[in-house]
Amino acid sequence: MTFGVDPPLEGLTPAGALARLGDPGLPAAARMFGADAPALLATADGLIGRTVEAARPVQILWSPGKRLVVRYSATVRSDTGTADITLVAATGAAIPETLRDGSATQVIAWARAADPHLPGLPSALDPQTVGRMLTTLGLPPATVNLRLRAYRPTRRAVVQVDHPTATVYLKVVSPREATWLDTIHRFDTGVRTPRTLGVSRDLGIVVLEEIPGSTLREALSDPDAPLPDPRRLLELVDDLQAPDDAPIVGGPRRTVRRNARLVRAVLPECGDLLDSVLAETAVTIDAPRVPVHGDFYESQILVTDDGISGLIDLDRMGIGHRLDDVATMVAHLVAFAQSAPDPLRVTGYASAILDAAVDTHDPDLLRRTVAAGLIGMATGPFRAQAEDWPVAVARRVALAHRWA
């Protein structure tokens, strides 16, 4: 299978593609993408005493007509000199209800630790506060080192905490999500998952234990690392259990139209291919709903030389269709192969998973669901503002078209 670019993209640079973006439903979007961004960010909450000199988008979370969140790498100046920090701007439904003024052009901005959706983030990023938190959980008083491992504005953050006696992770979410996250990490899911060590429901902080191992993605990138038997991956999702009140979760086919709208908005040249993929993925699964991971891919699987050591990131776990977990894994691997150190190692592993899956899953439906998953993956290079993202997005749409 080739990874060529089907849509005509000659001369379309990332800067040019970003400059032409617009959203009639979000009239503030042009200010957030353009040269006005530094002035807009000068109003950011948490920026006291610092002046924004420059800013460039490094992550764009956009639901056309509904919400837009842009994370920037910004250079700021203060009395002590210049520094690079993270700033965020949001408009539409991404503005908390308590801060909305009713204007369609309203934009709010904040420095990372002041995210209004994540009230626990300032505490999770303060070593002294975290140290006291771990002491209340039974660890001896000690100086801790913090490392921000992930930050998705308005949604979640993950902070690695290195204590002399243990490494733990702080998952920071909105307070309304903390109860479910704590519940699912206390539940016996049937497979090894991180155990909850403590929770602050008011702040939205869940403290999770560390599970040993590297991610399957890291193993796939290391030619000397052993890979788990693909059949064991399928057994992993087969073994999953969920609480009786677990939410219903949708798979790639449920989100494919929403993801296609974003791709069409950022790269109209892909319109014909998107129409074709949507027509092929408009199918339903006639199968009972069972416990699923909901976001099953190679970075969620931890492995050691002895095999699979655990499954992480249970935020989307619930009740759905098992085929969706399998297809999500394959779609991620196929997309990862486009940039992996050894593409053949990755595609070969994806093929082995497919070969094992067709014994229990309809191969045609599996193929179409992989295609739907690849449309979701196609939004990734744009969201991350990857270098040459228009070409990367087009390649993934073309790949989805071939699968469909």
Side-chain angles (χ1 to χ4, degrees):
M1 183 176 292
T2 60
F3 296 157
V5 179
D6 291 351
L9 295 177
E10 293 82 0
L12 186 60
T13 65
L18 194 61
R20 73 182 187 180
L21 295 182
D23 190 334
L26 298 171
R31 296 171 57 204
M32 297 166 68
F33 292 137
D36 293 337
L40 184 157
L41 293 171
T43 65
D45 186 19
L47 198 61
I48 297 175
R50 293 176 289 184
T51 302
V52 179
E53 294 194 335
R56 63 179 180 86
V58 293
Q59 186 181 44
I60 299 176
L61 307 174
W62 185 18
S63 295
K66 296 181 180 179
R67 67 193 312 270
L68 173 63
V69 181
V70 183
R71 179 164 63 94
Y72 304 84
S73 175
T75 300
V76 298
R77 179 175 293 277
S78 67
D79 293 340
T80 58
T82 60
D84 294 329
I85 66 170
T86 294
L87 296 175
V88 180
T91 191
I95 300 177
E97 291 186 11
T98 55
L99 299 179
R100 294 179 195 172
D101 64 7
S103 169
T105 59
Q106 183 186 11
V107 181
I108 65 169
W110 60 84
R112 180 175 57 203
D115 192 321
H117 297 267
L118 303 175
L121 193 52
S123 296
L125 293 174
D126 180 68
Q128 292 184 335
T129 301
V130 173
R132 290 193 297 268
M133 183 187 307
L134 296 188
T135 299
T136 65
L137 296 178
L139 295 182
T143 299
V144 297
N145 294 317
L146 306 183
R147 177 184 174 192
L148 184 66
R149 297 296 300 268
Y151 172 56
R152 183 165 182 171
T154 78
R155 300 289 178 83
R156 60 185 172 273
V158 179
V159 180
Q160 178 179 327
V161 184
D162 292 320
H163 183 278
T165 64
T167 294
V168 301
Y169 293 87
L170 307 183
K171 198 81 171 270
V172 186
V173 296
S174 68
R176 68 178 181 275
E177 296 175 10
T179 296
W180 166 249
L181 197 60
D182 176 55
T183 297
I184 194 61
H185 281 282
R186 292 182 185 276
F187 185 78
D188 182 3
T189 61
V191 302
R192 174 77 184 276
T193 58
R195 183 170 50 94
T196 296
L197 302 178
V199 59
S200 170
R201 292 179 174 83
D202 291 339
L203 293 178
I205 299 176
V206 181
V207 185
L208 300 173
E209 70 171 350
E210 181 183 48
I211 293 180
S214 303
T215 67
L216 178 56
R217 172 177 281 236
E218 291 169 329
L220 286 162
S221 301
D222 180 356
D224 297 323
L227 300 176
D229 188 326
R231 291 171 296 183
R232 181 67 190 106
L233 283 182
L234 301 181
E235 292 171 358
L236 195 67
V237 293
D238 286 343
D239 290 341
L240 281 175
Q241 301 295 321
D244 293 337
D245 60 347
I248 299 294
V249 297
R253 285 164 293 97
R254 182 176 177 180
T255 58
V256 65
R257 290 193 174 276
R258 181 184 68 200
N259 291 325
R261 280 196 297 272
L262 176 57
V263 175
R264 198 186 303 271
V266 302
L267 212 59
E269 292 86 349
C270 290
D272 289 344
L273 289 184
L274 288 170
D275 290 340
S276 179
V277 174
L278 289 176
E280 291 293 332
T281 55
V283 293
T284 58
I285 294 181
D286 183 18
R289 293 184 184 273
V290 297
V292 295
H293 182 270
D295 194 24
F296 191 66
Y297 68 100
E298 71 281 357
S299 292
Q300 315 286 43
I301 311 297
L302 297 180
V303 297
T304 65
D305 289 346
D306 297 325
I308 297 173
S309 58
L311 179 64
I312 61 174
D313 284 351
L314 307 183
D315 307 48
R316 300 183 190 176
M317 188 172 178
I319 305 300
H321 295 296
R322 190 152 294 150
L323 179 143
D324 287 333
D325 269 356
V326 178
T328 297
M329 173 66 75
V330 174
H332 273 266
L333 290 175
V334 169
F336 174 44
Q338 294 185 318
S339 59
D342 186 348
L344 291 180
R345 177 174 167 87
V346 179
T347 55
Y349 195 70
S351 295
I353 293 173
L354 279 173
D355 289 342
V358 296
D359 290 339
T360 52
H361 298 291
D362 182 315
D364 182 64
L365 185 56
L366 190 56
R367 171 181 58 81
R368 293 170 190 248
T369 307
V370 170
L374 284 167
I375 294 299
M377 297 296 297
T379 65
F382 167 75
R383 289 198 311 269
Q385 285 296 285
E387 184 178 355
D388 206 18
W389 65 258
V391 171
V393 170
R395 282 177 174 161
R396 292 189 179 184
V397 173
L399 188 57
H401 181 256
R402 294 188 180 97
W403 276 82

